[in-house]
Amino acid sequence: MIIAGIGTLIQLFPLWKIGSGLPIVMGISFTFVSIFCYIGPTYGYNAIVGAVLVGGIVEGVLGLFAKYWIKLISPIVAASVVTSIGFSLLSVGASSFGGGSGSENFGSATNWILGTITLLSCIIFNILAKSYFKQLSVLFGLIVGYIVAVIMGVVDFSSLSGTSIVAVPSLMPFKPEFNANAIFSVILIFLVSATETIGDTSALAASGLNRDVTTKETSGSIACDGFISALSSVFGCLPITSFSQNVGLVAMTKVVNRFAIATGAIIMIIAGIFPIFGALLATLPDAVLGGCTLMMFGTIVISGLQMISNCGYSQRNITIAALSLSIGIGFTQVPEIFSIFPKIIENVFAENCVAVVFIVSII
């Protein structure tokens, strides 16, 4: 949480060439989960830390020199990637709405009621509110959903007991080990993460600022992703990346003020330093979060479609977008299709539609 907060502040207020200056919120990346589930049992967590350190530096340097290769990312490629990010998040929103993937009461009536009340609260507030109050619709939905959850007795406060008041992160809690296979695998995923960051940055500029993203912003965004991830490994943590969920929030609320977003970064840092505060935030039921995020994630899809529309519907653009989205989203819906490939390829692409869409659209 502390590293995510620091990374967000650097994205908002760049240090030298690191950071975009855009309202990007950083967080732990789920893109690395599948590859770490393979590296961890095979080589150990220390090898993960070493691979993240090296991979983060590689992505950071790649970001600093983005002006030399960014022309490969044509507008239709960026638009296709943004659209795929939106589609990849729809199942995340649905899982939260049902109560959280793997939960014992997934899809129960309680979760349906909580998710529906939260969603309706967001929509009704957005319709009835005037002026800038419309921007508070998601917050209003969260508050209403949380209150209803407390009344229904589904908020678990037991995690607060025994939680320490203050906790300071330790330097190098895990000694990095540098395994060539682990490093190579993780660098590949960092390249995938960079494509998602390009999509997030493009979507933010398009949906929040109504303009195209600049090369300087994209370069700083990728550099921040990489170097902050390397810093994260020094504290024994996992890679940090831009969070697509918050792109949806910006698209929906149009709140792009950097000081407003910085408040969220400070809250994350406080939640990290004071675990009791973080534990309190974690009591928010998944169904309430899902009720708020469904529309946000759909908004990213629409932003991507608008970007495709702005590129024009030439036969070339239609072919690129249609083929990359159909292969990227379609193939990752049936991950067994990658079973003939080496394990490393399967781990990278089988469940990551954004990576597949990016590669196919580039080709």
Side-chain angles (χ1 to χ4, degrees):
M1 295 289 278
I2 294 172
I3 299 296
I6 293 171
T8 302
L9 290 175
I10 294 175
Q11 283 284 23
L12 296 169
F13 308 103
L15 295 176
W16 186 51
K17 295 181 180 180
I18 303 173
S20 63
L22 294 174
I24 293 175
V25 177
M26 306 288 280
I28 294 289
S29 174
F30 66 85
T31 308
F32 293 82
V33 170
S34 59
I35 195 68
F36 286 163
C37 285
Y38 171 73
I39 294 175
T42 307
Y43 304 111
Y45 191 79
N46 297 64
I48 289 178
V49 172
V52 172
L53 179 59
V54 175
I57 293 172
V58 169
E59 186 191 11
V61 172
L62 192 69
L64 293 178
F65 292 95
K67 66 179 181 180
Y68 298 106
W69 55 264
I70 199 68
K71 291 180 181 178
L72 289 171
I73 317 298
S74 63
I76 190 62
V77 172
S80 300
V81 169
V82 171
T83 306
S84 69
I85 289 173
F87 277 117
S88 71
L89 288 171
L90 294 182
S91 60
V92 177
S95 294
S96 295
F97 192 96
S101 182
S103 67
E104 295 179 359
N105 63 339
F106 185 83
S108 66
T110 299
N111 289 327
W112 269 95
I113 292 169
L114 278 177
T116 303
I117 289 175
T118 304
L119 177 60
L120 288 176
S121 298
C122 291
I123 295 172
I124 292 171
F125 188 90
N126 187 264
I127 292 171
L128 298 180
K130 305 295 182 183
S131 184
Y132 63 86
F133 285 106
K134 285 182 178 291
Q135 299 166 350
L136 301 175
S137 59
V138 175
L139 180 61
F140 179 78
L142 280 175
I143 293 172
V144 171
Y146 191 81
I147 292 172
V148 172
V150 171
I151 294 172
M152 294 176 69
V154 295
V155 178
D156 182 13
F157 292 107
S158 62
S159 60
L160 299 178
S161 60
T163 303
S164 57
I165 304 298
V166 179
V168 180
S170 56
L171 194 65
M172 288 287 185
F174 301 93
K175 184 180 178 181
E177 293 179 5
F178 301 102
N179 180 285
N181 290 332
I183 290 171
F184 175 74
S185 304
V186 170
I187 286 176
L188 283 178
I189 306 296
F190 266 110
L191 297 179
V192 173
S193 180
T195 67
E196 294 181 352
T197 300
I198 292 170
D200 288 344
T201 311
S202 300
L204 265 174
S207 61
L209 303 172
N210 298 316
R211 63 168 174 81
D212 292 332
V213 69
T214 66
T215 301
K216 182 180 178 181
E217 289 168 340
T218 303
S219 175
S221 183
I222 298 171
C224 183
D225 256 30
F227 290 128
I228 286 297
S229 292
L231 177 65
S232 180
S233 71
V234 172
F235 291 95
C237 300
L238 300 176
I240 303 291
T241 190
S242 61
F243 250 42
S244 303
Q245 289 89 328
N246 290 284
V247 177
L249 192 61
V250 168
M252 186 173 170
T253 64
K254 303 300 181 183
V255 175
V256 293
N257 183 282
R258 290 187 296 171
F259 292 98
I261 310 297
T263 305
I266 292 169
I267 289 173
M268 283 196 284
I269 294 172
I270 292 172
I273 297 174
F274 302 100
I276 189 74
F277 181 61
L280 182 62
L281 293 177
T283 61
L284 180 73
D286 280 325
V288 175
L289 192 62
C292 288
T293 55
L294 276 180
M295 186 179 294
M296 285 162 47
F297 297 163
T299 305
I300 299 178
V301 175
I302 301 303
S303 295
L305 296 177
Q306 288 175 331
M307 290 173 69
I308 292 175
S309 178
N310 291 336
C311 293
Y313 292 107
S314 65
Q315 189 59 48
R316 173 181 177 274
N317 286 345
I318 290 174
T319 301
I320 293 171
L323 192 60
S324 62
L325 289 171
S326 60
I327 292 177
I329 297 173
F331 279 28
T332 52
Q333 294 295 308
V334 281
E336 307 81 40
I337 201 169
F338 292 93
S339 59
I340 67 166
F341 293 97
K343 194 68 177 177
I344 177 64
I345 299 297
E346 190 176 354
N347 282 331
V348 171
F349 297 110
E351 296 180 13
N352 196 324
C353 74
V354 178
V356 180
V357 167
F358 176 74
I359 289 176
V360 173
S361 59
I362 285 285
I363 294 173

Tab-separated table of all heavy atoms in Angstrom, residues 46-99:
chain	number	residue	atom	x	y	z
A	46	ASN	N	12.440	-15.762	-3.205
A	46	ASN	CA	13.613	-14.910	-3.390
A	46	ASN	C	13.921	-14.703	-4.871
A	46	ASN	O	14.379	-13.637	-5.282
A	46	ASN	CB	14.823	-15.517	-2.684
A	46	ASN	CG	14.625	-15.611	-1.183
A	46	ASN	OD1	13.752	-16.325	-0.720
A	46	ASN	ND2	15.426	-14.876	-0.425
A	47	ALA	N	13.646	-15.731	-5.686
A	47	ALA	CA	13.845	-15.616	-7.133
A	47	ALA	C	12.824	-14.669	-7.748
A	47	ALA	O	13.127	-13.946	-8.714
A	47	ALA	CB	13.744	-16.996	-7.790
A	48	ILE	N	11.602	-14.648	-7.183
A	48	ILE	CA	10.590	-13.696	-7.639
A	48	ILE	C	11.068	-12.278	-7.370
A	48	ILE	O	10.986	-11.400	-8.247
A	48	ILE	CB	9.242	-13.953	-6.932
A	48	ILE	CG1	8.608	-15.254	-7.428
A	48	ILE	CG2	8.284	-12.777	-7.146
A	48	ILE	CD1	7.296	-15.601	-6.747
A	49	VAL	N	11.590	-12.034	-6.165
A	49	VAL	CA	12.068	-10.698	-5.795
A	49	VAL	C	13.191	-10.252	-6.730
A	49	VAL	O	13.205	-9.112	-7.222
A	49	VAL	CB	12.541	-10.683	-4.322
A	49	VAL	CG1	13.219	-9.351	-3.989
A	49	VAL	CG2	11.370	-10.917	-3.385
A	50	GLY	N	14.142	-11.139	-7.012
A	50	GLY	CA	15.246	-10.812	-7.913
A	50	GLY	C	14.776	-10.527	-9.325
A	50	GLY	O	15.254	-9.595	-9.984
A	51	ALA	N	13.817	-11.331	-9.790
A	51	ALA	CA	13.291	-11.138	-11.147
A	51	ALA	C	12.523	-9.830	-11.270
A	51	ALA	O	12.617	-9.135	-12.291
A	51	ALA	CB	12.380	-12.310	-11.517
A	52	VAL	N	11.767	-9.470	-10.218
A	52	VAL	CA	11.026	-8.202	-10.229
A	52	VAL	C	11.990	-7.016	-10.236
A	52	VAL	O	11.770	-6.020	-10.932
A	52	VAL	CB	10.075	-8.111	-9.015
A	52	VAL	CG1	9.459	-6.718	-8.910
A	52	VAL	CG2	8.982	-9.164	-9.119
A	53	LEU	N	13.092	-7.128	-9.486
A	53	LEU	CA	14.087	-6.063	-9.444
A	53	LEU	C	14.681	-5.813	-10.831
A	53	LEU	O	14.736	-4.672	-11.309
A	53	LEU	CB	15.193	-6.433	-8.448
A	53	LEU	CG	16.350	-5.435	-8.294
A	53	LEU	CD1	15.856	-4.082	-7.847
A	53	LEU	CD2	17.392	-5.975	-7.319
A	54	VAL	N	15.091	-6.883	-11.499
A	54	VAL	CA	15.691	-6.752	-12.830
A	54	VAL	C	14.641	-6.336	-13.862
A	54	VAL	O	14.860	-5.423	-14.658
A	54	VAL	CB	16.354	-8.082	-13.256
A	54	VAL	CG1	16.872	-7.981	-14.693
A	54	VAL	CG2	17.491	-8.435	-12.308
A	55	GLY	N	13.480	-7.009	-13.831
A	55	GLY	CA	12.423	-6.706	-14.797
A	55	GLY	C	11.924	-5.282	-14.683
A	55	GLY	O	11.643	-4.622	-15.689
A	56	GLY	N	11.812	-4.779	-13.438
A	56	GLY	CA	11.376	-3.401	-13.237
A	56	GLY	C	12.348	-2.406	-13.835
A	56	GLY	O	11.942	-1.427	-14.479
A	57	ILE	N	13.643	-2.663	-13.654
A	57	ILE	CA	14.660	-1.767	-14.231
A	57	ILE	C	14.594	-1.797	-15.756
A	57	ILE	O	14.686	-0.758	-16.418
A	57	ILE	CB	16.065	-2.159	-13.730
A	57	ILE	CG1	16.180	-1.886	-12.219
A	57	ILE	CG2	17.149	-1.400	-14.493
A	57	ILE	CD1	17.451	-2.401	-11.592
A	58	VAL	N	14.397	-2.995	-16.318
A	58	VAL	CA	14.292	-3.117	-17.782
A	58	VAL	C	13.104	-2.315	-18.310
A	58	VAL	O	13.226	-1.552	-19.283
A	58	VAL	CB	14.155	-4.606	-18.195
A	58	VAL	CG1	13.777	-4.723	-19.673
A	58	VAL	CG2	15.450	-5.353	-17.916
A	59	GLU	N	11.923	-2.459	-17.662
A	59	GLU	CA	10.749	-1.698	-18.112
A	59	GLU	C	10.970	-0.204	-17.928
A	59	GLU	O	10.576	0.603	-18.789
A	59	GLU	CB	9.494	-2.120	-17.349
A	59	GLU	CG	8.240	-1.444	-17.906
A	59	GLU	CD	7.000	-1.619	-17.041
A	59	GLU	OE1	7.113	-2.092	-15.906
A	59	GLU	OE2	5.900	-1.249	-17.515
A	60	GLY	N	11.613	0.192	-16.826
A	60	GLY	CA	11.870	1.606	-16.580
A	60	GLY	C	12.740	2.220	-17.654
A	60	GLY	O	12.434	3.303	-18.189
A	61	VAL	N	13.815	1.522	-18.015
A	61	VAL	CA	14.716	2.013	-19.074
A	61	VAL	C	13.982	2.038	-20.411
A	61	VAL	O	14.132	2.978	-21.210
A	61	VAL	CB	15.980	1.120	-19.160
A	61	VAL	CG1	16.824	1.496	-20.378
A	61	VAL	CG2	16.796	1.241	-17.881
A	62	LEU	N	13.174	1.016	-20.669
A	62	LEU	CA	12.379	0.965	-21.899
A	62	LEU	C	11.458	2.184	-21.992
A	62	LEU	O	11.289	2.782	-23.055
A	62	LEU	CB	11.552	-0.322	-21.924
A	62	LEU	CG	10.861	-0.706	-23.236
A	62	LEU	CD1	11.884	-1.108	-24.271
A	62	LEU	CD2	9.884	-1.865	-23.000
A	63	GLY	N	10.884	2.573	-20.841
A	63	GLY	CA	10.021	3.748	-20.812
A	63	GLY	C	10.770	5.028	-21.114
A	63	GLY	O	10.283	5.888	-21.861
A	64	LEU	N	11.982	5.167	-20.575
A	64	LEU	CA	12.772	6.381	-20.801
A	64	LEU	C	13.108	6.571	-22.283
A	64	LEU	O	13.250	7.703	-22.755
A	64	LEU	CB	14.062	6.334	-19.981
A	64	LEU	CG	13.909	6.405	-18.449
A	64	LEU	CD1	15.278	6.308	-17.778
A	64	LEU	CD2	13.212	7.700	-18.034
A	65	PHE	N	13.234	5.463	-23.011
A	65	PHE	CA	13.581	5.530	-24.431
A	65	PHE	C	12.362	5.258	-25.323
A	65	PHE	O	12.507	4.841	-26.470
A	65	PHE	CB	14.698	4.538	-24.756
A	65	PHE	CG	16.020	4.895	-24.135
A	65	PHE	CD1	16.395	4.344	-22.915
A	65	PHE	CD2	16.880	5.797	-24.754
A	65	PHE	CE1	17.605	4.677	-22.326
A	65	PHE	CE2	18.097	6.141	-24.175
A	65	PHE	CZ	18.466	5.587	-22.957
A	66	ALA	N	11.177	5.516	-24.788
A	66	ALA	CA	9.944	5.202	-25.525
A	66	ALA	C	9.831	5.959	-26.842
A	66	ALA	O	9.224	5.466	-27.795
A	66	ALA	CB	8.729	5.505	-24.654
A	67	LYS	N	10.400	7.159	-26.912
A	67	LYS	CA	10.252	7.965	-28.132
A	67	LYS	C	10.845	7.269	-29.360
A	67	LYS	O	10.504	7.602	-30.494
A	67	LYS	CB	10.886	9.333	-27.944
A	67	LYS	CG	12.390	9.332	-27.765
A	67	LYS	CD	12.909	10.758	-27.605
A	67	LYS	CE	14.424	10.791	-27.437
A	67	LYS	NZ	14.923	12.176	-27.278
A	68	TYR	N	11.746	6.297	-29.130
A	68	TYR	CA	12.377	5.610	-30.255
A	68	TYR	C	11.565	4.430	-30.773
A	68	TYR	O	11.821	3.934	-31.857
A	68	TYR	CB	13.780	5.124	-29.851
A	68	TYR	CG	14.718	6.246	-29.481
A	68	TYR	CD1	15.068	6.478	-28.157
A	68	TYR	CD2	15.231	7.098	-30.460
A	68	TYR	CE1	15.925	7.517	-27.812
A	68	TYR	CE2	16.079	8.146	-30.125
A	68	TYR	CZ	16.420	8.348	-28.800
A	68	TYR	OH	17.263	9.381	-28.467
A	69	TRP	N	10.591	3.951	-29.973
A	69	TRP	CA	9.814	2.791	-30.422
A	69	TRP	C	8.307	3.002	-30.345
A	69	TRP	O	7.542	2.185	-30.850
A	69	TRP	CB	10.188	1.549	-29.605
A	69	TRP	CG	10.060	1.701	-28.120
A	69	TRP	CD1	11.038	2.016	-27.247
A	69	TRP	CD2	8.865	1.541	-27.320
A	69	TRP	NE1	10.555	2.074	-25.943
A	69	TRP	CE2	9.219	1.777	-25.973
A	69	TRP	CE3	7.541	1.220	-27.610
A	69	TRP	CZ2	8.312	1.714	-24.925
A	69	TRP	CZ3	6.629	1.154	-26.567
A	69	TRP	CH2	7.012	1.400	-25.249
A	70	ILE	N	7.869	4.120	-29.759
A	70	ILE	CA	6.434	4.321	-29.531
A	70	ILE	C	5.650	4.440	-30.833
A	70	ILE	O	4.436	4.217	-30.859
A	70	ILE	CB	6.205	5.578	-28.645
A	70	ILE	CG1	4.808	5.538	-28.004
A	70	ILE	CG2	6.395	6.853	-29.458
A	70	ILE	CD1	4.619	4.466	-26.997
A	71	LYS	N	6.347	4.759	-31.951
A	71	LYS	CA	5.644	4.884	-33.232
A	71	LYS	C	5.075	3.550	-33.703
A	71	LYS	O	4.203	3.515	-34.578
A	71	LYS	CB	6.590	5.464	-34.286
A	71	LYS	CG	6.956	6.925	-34.035
A	71	LYS	CD	7.899	7.476	-35.083
A	71	LYS	CE	8.269	8.932	-34.783
A	71	LYS	NZ	9.229	9.487	-35.765
A	72	LEU	N	5.589	2.454	-33.120
A	72	LEU	CA	5.016	1.143	-33.434
A	72	LEU	C	3.580	1.037	-32.943
A	72	LEU	O	2.782	0.264	-33.474
A	72	LEU	CB	5.853	0.031	-32.779
A	72	LEU	CG	7.242	-0.252	-33.367
A	72	LEU	CD1	7.997	-1.204	-32.461
A	72	LEU	CD2	7.114	-0.829	-34.763
A	73	ILE	N	3.253	1.842	-31.913
A	73	ILE	CA	1.915	1.784	-31.328
A	73	ILE	C	1.039	2.813	-32.044
A	73	ILE	O	0.892	3.953	-31.604
A	73	ILE	CB	1.953	2.092	-29.808
A	73	ILE	CG1	3.126	1.378	-29.139
A	73	ILE	CG2	0.632	1.714	-29.163
A	73	ILE	CD1	3.066	-0.121	-29.217
A	74	SER	N	0.460	2.402	-33.149
A	74	SER	CA	-0.409	3.307	-33.905
A	74	SER	C	-1.720	3.517	-33.141
A	74	SER	O	-2.056	2.743	-32.243
A	74	SER	CB	-0.692	2.721	-35.291
A	74	SER	OG	-1.396	1.508	-35.182
A	75	PRO	N	-2.484	4.568	-33.475
A	75	PRO	CA	-3.742	4.842	-32.754
A	75	PRO	C	-4.705	3.662	-32.714
A	75	PRO	O	-5.352	3.428	-31.691
A	75	PRO	CB	-4.332	6.024	-33.536
A	75	PRO	CG	-3.141	6.733	-34.091
A	75	PRO	CD	-2.157	5.643	-34.430
A	76	ILE	N	-4.798	2.892	-33.788
A	76	ILE	CA	-5.744	1.772	-33.803
A	76	ILE	C	-5.270	0.650	-32.871
A	76	ILE	O	-6.086	-0.057	-32.263
A	76	ILE	CB	-5.953	1.228	-35.244
A	76	ILE	CG1	-7.125	0.233	-35.282
A	76	ILE	CG2	-4.689	0.601	-35.785
A	76	ILE	CD1	-8.459	0.820	-34.901
A	77	VAL	N	-3.947	0.499	-32.721
A	77	VAL	CA	-3.410	-0.478	-31.775
A	77	VAL	C	-3.764	-0.068	-30.346
A	77	VAL	O	-4.263	-0.871	-29.546
A	77	VAL	CB	-1.877	-0.620	-31.934
A	77	VAL	CG1	-1.305	-1.485	-30.803
A	77	VAL	CG2	-1.531	-1.230	-33.276
A	78	ALA	N	-3.518	1.204	-30.017
A	78	ALA	CA	-3.836	1.713	-28.673
A	78	ALA	C	-5.331	1.581	-28.386
A	78	ALA	O	-5.731	1.183	-27.285
A	78	ALA	CB	-3.406	3.171	-28.550
A	79	ALA	N	-6.170	1.884	-29.385
A	79	ALA	CA	-7.623	1.793	-29.203
A	79	ALA	C	-8.059	0.352	-28.945
A	79	ALA	O	-8.917	0.088	-28.096
A	79	ALA	CB	-8.333	2.348	-30.430
A	80	SER	N	-7.463	-0.582	-29.669
A	80	SER	CA	-7.796	-1.999	-29.486
A	80	SER	C	-7.377	-2.477	-28.103
A	80	SER	O	-8.110	-3.228	-27.444
A	80	SER	CB	-7.105	-2.850	-30.562
A	80	SER	OG	-7.517	-2.460	-31.861
A	81	VAL	N	-6.210	-2.031	-27.641
A	81	VAL	CA	-5.720	-2.423	-26.316
A	81	VAL	C	-6.629	-1.876	-25.220
A	81	VAL	O	-6.985	-2.584	-24.269
A	81	VAL	CB	-4.266	-1.941	-26.107
A	81	VAL	CG1	-3.847	-2.110	-24.646
A	81	VAL	CG2	-3.310	-2.703	-27.013
A	82	VAL	N	-7.035	-0.603	-25.344
A	82	VAL	CA	-7.936	-0.004	-24.353
A	82	VAL	C	-9.255	-0.773	-24.293
A	82	VAL	O	-9.773	-1.073	-23.213
A	82	VAL	CB	-8.201	1.481	-24.670
A	82	VAL	CG1	-9.300	2.046	-23.769
A	82	VAL	CG2	-6.923	2.303	-24.487
A	83	THR	N	-9.796	-1.101	-25.455
A	83	THR	CA	-11.046	-1.864	-25.504
A	83	THR	C	-10.890	-3.222	-24.830
A	83	THR	O	-11.758	-3.663	-24.065
A	83	THR	CB	-11.496	-2.064	-26.967
A	83	THR	OG1	-11.565	-0.799	-27.628
A	83	THR	CG2	-12.866	-2.724	-27.038
A	84	SER	N	-9.758	-3.878	-25.076
A	84	SER	CA	-9.530	-5.199	-24.475
A	84	SER	C	-9.373	-5.096	-22.962
A	84	SER	O	-9.785	-6.001	-22.228
A	84	SER	CB	-8.287	-5.860	-25.090
A	84	SER	OG	-7.099	-5.187	-24.712
A	85	ILE	N	-8.776	-3.998	-22.477
A	85	ILE	CA	-8.657	-3.801	-21.032
A	85	ILE	C	-10.048	-3.736	-20.405
A	85	ILE	O	-10.318	-4.343	-19.369
A	85	ILE	CB	-7.856	-2.511	-20.720
A	85	ILE	CG1	-6.381	-2.705	-21.063
A	85	ILE	CG2	-8.006	-2.120	-19.248
A	85	ILE	CD1	-5.549	-1.445	-20.945
A	86	GLY	N	-10.945	-2.989	-21.059
A	86	GLY	CA	-12.317	-2.890	-20.568
A	86	GLY	C	-12.998	-4.244	-20.521
A	86	GLY	O	-13.610	-4.614	-19.505
A	87	PHE	N	-12.869	-5.006	-21.597
A	87	PHE	CA	-13.500	-6.333	-21.637
A	87	PHE	C	-12.890	-7.268	-20.596
A	87	PHE	O	-13.594	-8.078	-19.988
A	87	PHE	CB	-13.368	-6.950	-23.028
A	87	PHE	CG	-14.416	-6.484	-24.000
A	87	PHE	CD1	-14.066	-5.765	-25.152
A	87	PHE	CD2	-15.760	-6.742	-23.782
A	87	PHE	CE1	-15.033	-5.326	-26.039
A	87	PHE	CE2	-16.738	-6.314	-24.669
A	87	PHE	CZ	-16.371	-5.603	-25.808
A	88	SER	N	-11.579	-7.171	-20.372
A	88	SER	CA	-10.922	-8.054	-19.398
A	88	SER	C	-11.380	-7.769	-17.975
A	88	SER	O	-11.305	-8.647	-17.105
A	88	SER	CB	-9.403	-7.901	-19.491
A	88	SER	OG	-8.972	-6.644	-18.993
A	89	LEU	N	-11.845	-6.545	-17.728
A	89	LEU	CA	-12.267	-6.163	-16.381
A	89	LEU	C	-13.725	-6.515	-16.089
A	89	LEU	O	-14.142	-6.532	-14.934
A	89	LEU	CB	-12.069	-4.656	-16.168
A	89	LEU	CG	-10.624	-4.178	-16.020
A	89	LEU	CD1	-10.566	-2.663	-16.026
A	89	LEU	CD2	-9.999	-4.729	-14.755
A	90	LEU	N	-14.515	-6.788	-17.137
A	90	LEU	CA	-15.942	-7.065	-16.928
A	90	LEU	C	-16.145	-8.269	-16.012
A	90	LEU	O	-17.017	-8.264	-15.139
A	90	LEU	CB	-16.639	-7.287	-18.273
A	90	LEU	CG	-16.701	-6.071	-19.212
A	90	LEU	CD1	-17.453	-6.430	-20.484
A	90	LEU	CD2	-17.359	-4.883	-18.525
A	91	SER	N	-15.338	-9.310	-16.207
A	91	SER	CA	-15.472	-10.500	-15.351
A	91	SER	C	-15.023	-10.194	-13.924
A	91	SER	O	-15.535	-10.798	-12.966
A	91	SER	CB	-14.655	-11.662	-15.919
A	91	SER	OG	-13.284	-11.328	-15.990
A	92	VAL	N	-14.073	-9.249	-13.769
A	92	VAL	CA	-13.633	-8.849	-12.428
A	92	VAL	C	-14.789	-8.180	-11.688
A	92	VAL	O	-15.058	-8.474	-10.511
A	92	VAL	CB	-12.426	-7.879	-12.513
A	92	VAL	CG1	-12.015	-7.403	-11.117
A	92	VAL	CG2	-11.253	-8.549	-13.212
A	93	GLY	N	-15.496	-7.282	-12.384
A	93	GLY	CA	-16.656	-6.622	-11.785
A	93	GLY	C	-17.758	-7.607	-11.445
A	93	GLY	O	-18.374	-7.524	-10.375
A	94	ALA	N	-17.988	-8.554	-12.348
A	94	ALA	CA	-19.032	-9.556	-12.112
A	94	ALA	C	-18.683	-10.452	-10.922
A	94	ALA	O	-19.547	-10.795	-10.110
A	94	ALA	CB	-19.241	-10.392	-13.371
A	95	SER	N	-17.396	-10.822	-10.815
A	95	SER	CA	-16.958	-11.658	-9.686
A	95	SER	C	-17.157	-10.928	-8.364
A	95	SER	O	-17.620	-11.516	-7.375
A	95	SER	CB	-15.483	-12.046	-9.850
A	95	SER	OG	-15.307	-12.883	-10.963
A	96	SER	N	-16.813	-9.645	-8.352
A	96	SER	CA	-17.014	-8.850	-7.132
A	96	SER	C	-18.497	-8.755	-6.802
A	96	SER	O	-18.895	-8.883	-5.642
A	96	SER	CB	-16.421	-7.449	-7.306
A	96	SER	OG	-15.028	-7.507	-7.457
A	97	PHE	N	-19.316	-8.511	-7.809
A	97	PHE	CA	-20.769	-8.400	-7.624
A	97	PHE	C	-21.324	-9.664	-6.969
A	97	PHE	O	-22.212	-9.608	-6.119
A	97	PHE	CB	-21.442	-8.158	-8.976
A	97	PHE	CG	-22.888	-7.749	-8.883
A	97	PHE	CD1	-23.248	-6.411	-8.914
A	97	PHE	CD2	-23.900	-8.699	-8.782
A	97	PHE	CE1	-24.587	-6.020	-8.841
A	97	PHE	CE2	-25.231	-8.319	-8.700
A	97	PHE	CZ	-25.576	-6.977	-8.736
A	98	GLY	N	-20.779	-10.818	-7.353
A	98	GLY	CA	-21.265	-12.090	-6.812
A	98	GLY	C	-20.752	-12.405	-5.421
A	98	GLY	O	-21.166	-13.391	-4.812
A	99	GLY	N	-19.823	-11.556	-4.920
A	99	GLY	CA	-19.313	-11.779	-3.572
A	99	GLY	C	-17.837	-12.060	-3.504
A	99	GLY	O	-17.295	-12.322	-2.430
